[in-house]
Structure formats: structure tokens, C-alpha cells
Amino acid sequence: MIDLQVPLLAAKALLLLLLFAFVYVVVRRAVGDLRSLPRNSDTFVAGGGRESVVDSGSEPVFVVEDSESLAPGTRFAIGGGVTVIGRSGSSDIALRHDDYASGEHARLMRRGGVLYIEDMNSTNGTFINGERCTGASALQPGDLVKIGSTTFRYKE
Amino acid sequence: MAQRATLPMLLALATVALGFAILLAVQQETSPPLIYGGAYAGMMIGVYGFVRLWLPRSDALLIPVVTLLTGTGLIMIYRLTYGVEGVEDLAISQVIWILTGSVFLLLTIVFLRDYHRLMQYKYLLALLAIGLIMLTFTPFGYEVNGARLWVQIGPVNFQPSEFARIGLIIFFAAYLAEKRDLMAATSRTVLGVQIPSPKYFGPVLVVWAASLGLLVFEKDLGSSLLFFAVPLLMLYVATGRAAYVGIGSVLFAIGCVISYHLFAHVRVRVAAWLDPWADPDLMGFQILQSLFNIADGGIVGTGLGEGFSQTIPEVHTDFIFSAIAAELGLLGASAILLTFLIFVYRGMKIALLSGDDFSKLLAGGLTVMFALQTLVIIGGVTKAIPLTGITLPFVSYGGSSVVGNFILTGLLLVISEKAGRRLAGEEVR
């Protein structure tokens, strides 16, 4: 009979090595996926809402794509805290005379580096890429947000 | 979403093949019929290929994870049952279950690609789930080890609760997604906690109580625990109110005390957990053998085929993790745990990236259930918590569990496809 002790030992070590190689490769891919999320998704700031000072060159903005009340191309910087979008003049982004927008239509807020939009029980709803949003939804850079007759594009 | 996962897939299959080679060299036995190994590898590669073609934006990383887990399970089941009187063919039937599960996964992604249709059938699914559990009380049901979990219809044996839980999660996700706003709008504040109006909250409560009551009556501790916790966590996900988790924990504590006094088998489990040495030959035997085996494994393990895990009763189902820890050691067991963690991480990621409430709640609910099940059984066999007999997903022997988890993976895949399309759409525009 051939002595199998040494190759067997090597095989056992190789098995554990392979197991961890698998874990390593899978984790690499999973985390790579994480990095492709919003670019300035900094670590979660305790207390929430505050924007990270890093990456100030790429401040998130809402750009008007198409609108009856605002000039296309207008940029709105989205700061920390809550940003209200609506027809009423007191809104942070005011859509004057837009008959399809509610007074306080939707609000934007930042949590852990991700921008969320929440419809505030508007009459005509808020649409993300053509789909009506319910509850708070996370926005990805490039998303099209339609409020009343106005379409915004979210950019970082 | 991570789409290409060919390298992890190859690594997973290579690991499983090497594991089997080592086992055969150590046992110096004839190989099991290779056709089953080939069928298994072929099926997993086929599933991976089909998922890549049919759902190109989905999270295909789930497939190698499932491959590694089922493969490790197969190695251990073969090792633990080979040549043991009465259970010699368990590894082969597990292969057949994995093939069946894969077919169910494929059916799920083909027919439920538009899974939002499920929302329309939510009440039907809830009724079906409760009906399935009730089936165990009819003459079709039978008892194994004091718990009436099994049903036999014709030649098919299965554990209805494994499938019922998926149906119930779909119901809760669909109902909460639809009524969430109504529930928030009609809630009243009692003692600082918002209580939704019974009109909208009622159906959730009824389904929850009915399924829970039936399972407790069945003496299915593990499933009762899952059925209790998962809907509560989904409610938390839907509303974002930590108060529900608080109330849930209090209710859970009360439930534990009541069932401790009401059911003898709960008292036995708790006693065996607190002090297995009080009765090491009977009550504490299983858990003690499990601990001996884990300790025997040390850092690198005894090597496949060289441990003594057959001393643990039911080692190929509930206690398979102890056998892995014994033969692959701390390192191997950690790798398996990390693999479970990756599955859960991907599930949560799918929930986060989904665009609508139903997808978020469904992906979240399924993932939470998978995570809790893993936590409860591994906690049980390592004596961190009292043992409740449930399977380790994908790894343990058990047809219903394997098929149920494959369906769960299929659902996560179709949800991730939709989330992936949503993300990709923006990059194109």
C-alpha cells in the first residue's frame, strides 16, 4: 500500500485554504459592490443627518430636467437636514404655480450618506424613474424624480 | 449587484471535490456512485448558467454560496452515514433533494419573475400556509421524536412548516407594504407606543397568532421561534419603530415563561442547557457529545473522516455543525459561518437596493428568517442558547428544508434582478 500520510496532510491544508480562498473571493466581490454605491457614502455619522465634509467637490444636487415652473438646468444643492419640495413658497425647492404639485409634496433627507426621498401624502404622488414611490426610498445618483410637472435628476 | 461569480463558483466546486477526495482516501472505501456527484456538480453549474442568462442583473453570488453550503453538507452527510446500518443511502437522497430543490429554484425564477403578482394572492397564501400546518393534525400527519411535524401523502414525506413560513412571509410583506400608510395614519398612541387601528392590524395579528398557536401545539419549538420573531422584525422594518422590537421582546419573555411551565419538553431542553452534567447519559447526552466533538476539532480539526461525530444522536440533521467543527476545526467552522454571513449580507443588500416596499419587506423577511434559523441552531449546538431542533439551512440533511431554502434563494434572485435593473437603468441614461 502506498503511504498517503504526507499528501493527505497537504490535501487537508489545501481544503482549509480553498475554503478561505472562497470566502475571500466572495467577500471581495460583495464589498466591491458596496463601493459602487453612492460615491460619498461615508460611514454613518452618529446623530445622523449631517453631511460629511470630505468630498465637498461632489455635493449632491437636484438638476431640473424638464419643468413648467423652473428653468431646465437649474441646480439645487441638497444640504444636510430635511429639504422640502412643494408648491408652497416656504418650501426649500419651491415649484410655483405648478398645479400638479401639492403644497408640501415630498421631502429629502440624508441618513448615513444615502439620500432618501419621502412623499408627504401628495395628491399626485412622487415618481422615481417612472415608478410611484411609497414610504421613504433611497435615491441612487442618476435617478429621475418626478414631482408634479417637474422632473429632477439626482446627481452627486 | 455582483453579477459575475464564475470564480467563486469554481472555487466552491473545487472545495467540495477535494473534500470528497480526502474523505475517500482516508476511509479507503469504494467511492459512492460518481454519477450522483456529477449530477450535483452539473446541476449547480447549470443553475448558475441559467441564472446568469435568465436574470442577468441578479445577484448570482448567491449561487456559489449555496453550492459551497450544500456541498459541505453532502460531504458531512456522506461521511456520517456511510456504512451505518439503516441510513447508508442518506447522502444519495440528499443529492436527490438538492436536485429537486434546484428544479424548484428554476421554477421560481421562471414563473415568479414578476413576483409582484404574489401580492394579489396574499390571503390565499396565508390560508394555504396555515392549511399546510394544519395538515399535520389530520391522519396524514405523524410524530417523530415527540413533535408532530411530518406529513405523508402517498410516497411523499415532508415538513409543512418549512414551506408555510415562506408563504407567511410573502403574506406579511404584501400586507404590510399595502397597508403601511393606512396603519401609520390610523394609529393611536397608548402609553407612548403607537398602536395601529385594529381594522388594519387585525389580519396580521390573526395570521400571526394562528400560525404560532398551531406550531406551539405541534411542539415545534424552533419553527415557533422563527414564526414569532420574523413578522415582528418585518413590522420593525416596515415602520422603523424600535418600540415593536421592545414589545416583542417582552411578549417573547412572557411566552417563554408560560411555555416553560406548560410543556415538559421545554423544561427538558432548558435543564439540558443549564446543566447537561445533571443527567449526562440521557437528557444532557446529545449536547455533551456535541461539545466534546467541537472541542476535539481544535483549530484545524481532526481531518475529514477522522473524527468521532457519529456519537452525537441526529448528527446529520440538527447537529451537523458540530461534526463540521470536529473535522474541519475552528478554521473550517468559521469559514462556513462566514459563508452564511455572506448570504445574509447579500440578502440585506438586496432589500436595501430594492425600490418598493413589497420587495424590501420580502427580501428583508426572507433574509431575517434565514439568519435567525442559522443563529438558533448553531447557538443550540454550541450550548449558547437552549437547543431547538431546526435544520442548519442547506447543510443539514432534510428534504423539506433544502427545497424550502432553494425556493427562498429563487425569490431573492428575482428581487435582486429587479433591483439590479433599477440600478443599471440609471447608468445607461
Side-chain angles (χ1 to χ4, degrees):
Chain A
M1 217 203 85
I2 329 148
D3 184 20
L4 274 175
Q5 283 311 311
V6 176
L8 203 56
L9 202 64
K12 283 176 193 168
L14 185 64
L15 182 70
L16 288 176
L17 213 67
L18 266 179
L19 267 176
F20 276 94
F22 172 82
V23 170
Y24 174 76
V25 169
V26 174
V27 167
R28 273 283 309 253
R29 282 177 199 240
V31 173
D33 193 48
L34 195 68
R35 285 209 195 95
S36 69
L37 268 177
R39 262 171 297 277
N40 65 345
S41 73
D42 253 335
T43 41
F44 182 77
V45 186
R50 271 181 301 136
E51 213 182 323
S52 51
V53 233
V54 210
D55 245 352
S56 53
S58 66
E59 196 177 40
V61 286
F62 259 45
V63 184
V64 178
E65 291 266 312
D66 177 41
S67 174
E68 288 176 9
S69 60
L70 296 166
T74 317
R75 299 166 79 88
F76 293 95
I78 311 297
V82 176
T83 309
V84 176
I85 307 178
R87 198 183 54 210
S88 99
S90 60
S91 307
D92 298 298
I93 298 178
L95 308 168
R96 308 244 166 150
H97 316 301
D98 187 337
D99 293 336
Y100 297 99
S102 300
E104 291 193 324
H105 196 109
R107 62 183 169 200
L108 300 165
M109 64 218 123
R110 254 181 188 279
R111 286 271 173 83
V114 179
L115 188 67
Y116 290 87
I117 188 162
E118 187 172 20
D119 191 80
M120 295 166 79
N121 290 322
S122 68
T123 316
N124 292 319
T126 301
F127 294 83
I128 304 170
N129 299 325
E131 276 186 60
R132 189 166 184 149
C133 92
T134 48
S137 313
L139 288 176
Q140 302 289 335
D143 269 342
L144 287 175
V145 177
K146 185 158 192 262
I147 290 171
S149 69
T150 306
T151 306
F152 296 97
R153 184 183 291 282
Y154 169 45
K155 282 185 180 166
E156 292 264 305
Chain B
M1 300 271 110
Q3 288 138 33
R4 279 180 303 278
T6 314
L7 180 63
M9 196 68 208
L10 291 176
L11 273 174
L13 286 171
T15 311
V16 176
L18 181 66
F20 259 106
I22 294 175
L23 190 55
L24 294 175
V26 169
Q27 291 186 323
Q28 300 187 335
E29 292 281 2
T30 47
S31 136
L34 272 178
I35 178 132
Y36 292 104
Y40 167 75
M43 191 58 161
M44 294 321 281
I45 293 172
V47 167
Y48 175 68
F50 186 78
V51 166
R52 292 281 295 117
L53 283 176
W54 178 253
L55 304 173
R57 303 247 174 244
S58 70
D59 192 356
L61 209 57
L62 289 174
I63 309 286
V65 168
V66 169
T67 306
L68 188 84
L69 291 177
T70 49
T72 313
L74 268 182
I75 297 174
M76 295 316 295
I77 292 164
Y78 178 68
R79 182 258 171 279
L80 293 167
T81 58
Y82 186 80
V84 178
E85 196 73 26
V87 288
E88 307 92 329
D89 294 332
L90 235 47
I92 288 176
S93 42
Q94 177 80 346
V95 171
I96 292 168
W97 283 121
I98 291 171
L99 297 186
T100 316
S102 307
V103 171
F104 272 92
L105 184 150
L106 295 176
L107 290 176
T108 308
I109 62 177
V110 169
F111 289 107
L112 288 179
R113 193 171 166 160
D114 179 21
Y115 58 95
H116 279 85
R117 275 186 308 175
L118 285 173
M119 282 187 91
Q120 295 156 21
Y121 303 113
K122 56 180 178 297
Y123 294 109
L124 191 68
L125 280 167
L127 277 178
L128 206 67
I130 293 177
L132 267 176
I133 304 174
M134 285 219 267
L135 216 54
T136 52
F137 296 105
T138 64
F140 292 119
Y142 61 95
E143 262 182 45
V144 176
N145 300 333
R148 202 178 171 87
L149 313 179
W150 289 85
V151 165
Q152 179 168 34
I153 296 176
V156 187
N157 293 303
F158 67 103
Q159 241 176 312
S161 60
E162 297 278 352
F163 301 104
R165 54 174 78 147
I166 296 177
L168 284 177
I169 288 177
I170 297 173
F171 165 76
F172 286 123
Y175 189 86
L176 290 174
E178 195 179 280
K179 299 286 193 322
R180 194 174 89 143
D181 296 342
L182 276 175
M183 281 167 68
T186 56
S187 60
R188 281 159 299 179
T189 308
V190 179
L191 295 172
V193 179
Q194 292 204 312
I195 309 289
S197 142
K199 186 177 162 195
Y200 300 115
F201 196 51
V204 177
L205 219 56
V206 167
V207 171
W208 188 45
S211 54
L212 205 57
L214 285 170
L215 286 167
V216 170
F217 206 57
E218 259 184 13
K219 300 182 185 168
D220 186 351
L221 288 183
S223 290
S224 324
L225 206 151
L226 292 181
F227 275 82
F228 178 85
V230 173
L232 263 177
L233 288 169
M234 288 173 75
L235 204 60
Y236 170 61
V237 171
T239 58
R241 287 185 207 291
Y244 289 118
V245 180
I247 298 173
S249 311
V250 173
L251 284 177
F252 182 68
I254 297 172
C256 287
V257 173
I258 294 176
S259 54
Y260 181 81
H261 288 287
L262 223 52
F263 302 111
H265 61 285
V266 178
R267 282 196 293 277
V268 170
R269 293 289 171 82
V270 173
W273 169 61
L274 286 174
D275 185 11
W277 287 106
D279 189 2
D281 293 326
L282 270 171
M283 263 163 39
F285 183 73
Q286 202 175 22
I287 188 75
L288 283 176
Q289 293 302 322
S290 164
L291 293 179
F292 293 158
N293 269 291
I294 294 170
D296 188 32
I299 304 261
V300 293
T302 56
L304 281 172
E306 290 172 57
F308 300 94
S309 310
Q310 275 140 326
T311 52
I312 314 173
E314 300 296 320
V315 64
H316 55 277
T317 59
D318 297 353
F319 279 83
I320 199 151
F321 185 75
S322 315
I324 293 173
E327 306 212 331
L328 296 174
L330 176 68
L331 289 176
S334 316
I336 295 297
L337 277 181
L338 284 171
T339 311
F340 274 110
L341 183 64
I342 292 162
F343 191 97
V344 172
Y345 166 71
R346 298 308 305 181
M348 283 299 167
K349 189 68 174 294
I350 292 168
L352 278 176
L353 292 182
S354 297
D356 60 296
D357 284 354
F358 177 57
S359 312
K360 274 183 203 297
L361 284 168
L362 186 57
L366 292 172
T367 311
V368 162
M369 186 189 73
F370 186 89
L372 267 183
Q373 185 172 354
T374 311
L375 198 73
V376 164
I377 186 59
I378 292 183
V381 303
T382 51
K383 206 173 91 68
I385 56 172
L387 179 72
T388 49
I390 48 177
T391 54
L392 185 57
F394 290 121
V395 183
S396 288
Y397 174 77
S400 313
S401 163
V402 166
V403 174
N405 282 311
F406 267 99
I407 295 174
L408 183 152
T409 311
L411 284 172
L412 283 180
L413 282 171
V414 284
I415 300 172
S416 71
E417 168 75 5
K418 183 147 190 283
R421 274 175 190 278
R422 178 167 166 265
L423 287 182
E426 308 149 356
E427 282 157 22
V428 175
R429 260 179 271 146

